[in-house]
Amino acid sequence: MSRDYALVFNLLQAESYNVLTDWLAFLPYPPKTMVAYFRGNAETRGMVEDLAAKIGANLVVVPDELITDHRNQETKLVDWQFSQVKEPFCIRVNMDTIAYRTTKDDWLTPAFEQIERGEVLFATGSTQPFRADRPDADPGQMRTRRISFNFVA
């Protein structure tokens, strides 16, 4: 069962486009909306416009004039991106984080259901458990005390 969600990301260089398509392959179904920042890069914007049309997603583009330095104004950028999300769920990914999983099962819907039930506030991903992570009732998950902007649902 697919759920409506928005995918939020920054695609600043064409070389990272393959990482974005890897993320879309990693997710069990496509987003309804993509909210993207291109830092004025017409090439990457065009690539994502074509991709959004291909997968049937709405595309919301961050205005170039919103920020002048994405590294030092990330909070303002992320806040604007999240403010544009109309879906009940949002996933934010970084293009310097490679998406990887070993199964093809729909892990996303159960994660959304846990959030809806109030069992968790968010889902995040990592390859290595943090020393404060604790096992969850589901053996495939852990409870964490940290968050990363690399992958957040």
Side-chain angles (χ1 to χ4, degrees):
M1 172 180 152
S2 67
R3 306 291 285 275
D4 288 346
Y5 70 93
L7 183 65
V8 173
F9 58 91
N10 305 330
L11 188 65
L12 308 181
Q13 55 192 13
E15 292 79 9
S16 297
Y17 178 79
N18 288 337
V19 178
L20 175 61
T21 58
D22 284 348
W23 274 109
L24 289 169
F26 172 80
L27 297 163
Y29 41 88
K32 182 175 180 183
T33 300
M34 295 192 295
V35 183
Y37 176 61
F38 302 108
R39 192 180 57 195
N41 188 324
E43 179 184 16
T44 58
R45 181 175 176 162
M47 295 167 84
V48 173
E49 286 173 342
D50 291 345
L51 178 62
K54 178 181 174 183
I55 67 171
N58 301 318
L59 178 61
V60 177
V61 176
V62 177
D64 291 335
E65 61 275 2
L66 179 71
I67 60 170
T68 56
D69 180 355
H70 73 280
R71 293 177 195 266
N72 292 314
Q73 295 176 301
E74 183 179 33
T75 302
K76 183 176 182 178
L77 174 60
V78 170
D79 183 56
W80 190 93
Q81 288 172 314
F82 285 176
S83 76
Q84 301 305 301
V85 173
K86 307 302 180 223
E87 292 74 18
F89 298 101
C90 176
I91 297 176
R92 183 181 189 279
V93 298
N94 272 349
M95 294 301 112
D96 65 353
T97 303
I98 305 297
Y100 174 78
R101 65 185 171 133
T102 58
T103 65
K104 293 290 184 185
D105 60 333
D106 176 9
W107 57 270
L108 189 56
T109 298
F112 287 159
E113 289 170 352
Q114 281 190 298
I115 293 169
E116 286 177 324
R117 289 191 302 265
E119 296 174 14
V120 296
L121 296 175
F122 62 89
T124 188
S126 177
T127 57
Q128 297 294 320
F130 180 61
R131 67 182 171 276
D133 291 349
R134 300 291 177 251
D136 187 72
D138 180 333
Q141 298 181 22
M142 297 189 79
R143 301 281 173 147
T144 189
R145 295 182 183 171
R146 65 181 173 155
I147 186 170
S148 166
F149 266 159
N150 290 338
F151 171 73
V152 181

